[in-house]
Amino acid sequence: ILNVEQSPQSLHVQEGDSTNFTCSFPSSNFYALHWYRWETAKSPEALFVMTLNGDEKKKGRISATLNTKEGYSYLYIKGSQPEDSATYLCASYSGGGADGLTFGKGTHLIIQP
Amino acid sequence: GAVVSQHPSWVICKSGTSVKIECRSLDFQATTMFWYRQFPKQSLMLMATSNEGSKATYEQGVEKDKFLINHASLTLSTLTVTSAHPEDSSFYICSARAFLGTSGSRETQYFGPGTRLLVL
């Protein structure tokens, strides 16, 4: 069973500041890492699927990097805005006989105006 | 594109009754659908994987006779919680993917908004 960890658990950031948080996962038998953004009462929104060591992906002010050798991914948000407030989830492919994702508990981000 | 709906969003039921939750892919054909649940302060936990036209594959510890999954079409999967009890109260959420098998794990899963179940 995979163990996907996210830190910090929650984060308060001033509007306009940049921020980042971490997802760690077992580096052995790595297949793919997924990032989602989840606002309350909405569906989790897919941000990135990362597969290759050294991958760096960007979507607007949000970007992510991947290190499969050491088992971590960083999510960066540049110039935080109030609409960035959400829970950010990372998930890794479960492996074995399962075909679904193993999720971390998420980082709850609050942007303060 | 890639919208997944889930119905109902909230359900309260009496202990012993059965509850059906529907998950639909609105604008794509979902070859594979997944069901997860989340208990308070915990992560989303995979319950089962279903491929259209096949029996669902359940994760260890998830009772297949209690959580009936049907994926009879490429746009609809249902989860039925049979004889629900208070310990089944949780947040249930589905996701859908257009690809089969493990190679599809590099493809995005699209999630519904979830269903909160409260069993009294």
Side-chain angles (χ1 to χ4, degrees), chain A residues 1 9 30-32 34 36 38 41-44 46 48-49 51-52 89 93-94 96-105, chain B residues 4 32 34 36 38 41-44 46 49 57 59-60 91 93 97 100-103 105-113:
Chain A
I1 297 176
Q9 204 168 16
F30 174 80
Y31 205 83
H34 297 237
Y36 287 87
W38 196 4
K42 293 186 178 179
S43 301
F48 307 112
V49 179
T51 57
L52 297 175
L89 300 175
Y93 166 58
S94 302
D99 198 22
L101 296 172
T102 298
F103 280 86
K105 290 184 180 180
Chain B
V4 175
T32 305
F34 304 89
Y36 297 82
Q38 184 181 39
K41 299 192 187 300
Q42 299 298 312
S43 57
L44 292 172
L46 179 67
T49 302
T57 302
E59 293 301 292
Q60 197 170 9
F91 181 77
I93 190 168
R97 191 182 71 193
L100 270 174
T102 56
S103 63
S105 292
R106 294 181 174 180
E107 304 297 330
T108 299
Q109 288 185 27
Y110 297 96
F111 280 83

Side-chain angles (χ1 to χ4, degrees), chain B residues 62-92:
Chain B
V62 178
E63 300 174 55
K64 63 180 181 181
D65 294 329
K66 182 164 186 64
F67 299 99
L68 302 179
I69 291 171
N70 184 286
H71 188 173
S73 80
L74 284 171
T75 59
L76 173 65
S77 177
T78 60
L79 168 69
T80 302
V81 184
T82 61
S83 186
H85 290 286
E87 58 266 28
D88 298 322
S89 298
S90 187
F91 181 77
Y92 293 85

Side-chain angles (χ1 to χ4, degrees), chain A residues 26-66:
Chain A
S27 55
S28 58
N29 298 317
F30 174 80
Y31 205 83
L33 187 85
H34 297 237
W35 279 102
Y36 287 87
R37 179 175 172 275
W38 196 4
E39 291 182 71
T40 305
K42 293 186 178 179
S43 301
E45 174 196 354
L47 291 175
F48 307 112
V49 179
M50 308 184 79
T51 57
L52 297 175
N53 185 45
D55 253 356
E56 185 167 342
K57 295 202 173 182
K58 191 175 179 183
K59 187 176 183 177
R61 292 180 292 100
I62 303 176
S63 61
T65 60
L66 179 69

Side-chain angles (χ1 to χ4, degrees), chain A:
Chain A
I1 297 176
L2 280 182
N3 199 25
V4 178
E5 302 283 347
Q6 289 187 251
S7 64
Q9 204 168 16
S10 65
L11 191 53
H12 288 70
V13 175
Q14 283 296 124
E15 182 178 354
D17 287 352
S18 296
T19 187
N20 66 83
F21 28 92
T22 308
C23 172
S24 63
F25 52 88
S27 55
S28 58
N29 298 317
F30 174 80
Y31 205 83
L33 187 85
H34 297 237
W35 279 102
Y36 287 87
R37 179 175 172 275
W38 196 4
E39 291 182 71
T40 305
K42 293 186 178 179
S43 301
E45 174 196 354
L47 291 175
F48 307 112
V49 179
M50 308 184 79
T51 57
L52 297 175
N53 185 45
D55 253 356
E56 185 167 342
K57 295 202 173 182
K58 191 175 179 183
K59 187 176 183 177
R61 292 180 292 100
I62 303 176
S63 61
T65 60
L66 179 69
N67 183 321
T68 61
K69 295 185 189 304
E70 295 179 45
Y72 64 84
S73 175
Y74 291 133
L75 190 84
Y76 299 89
I77 302 178
K78 188 176 177 182
S80 304
Q81 299 297 310
E83 58 265 29
D84 295 330
S85 296
T87 297
Y88 291 82
L89 300 175
C90 72
S92 188
Y93 166 58
S94 302
D99 198 22
L101 296 172
T102 298
F103 280 86
K105 290 184 180 180
T107 292
H108 184 50
L109 177 64
I110 298 169
I111 306 301
Q112 296 170 322

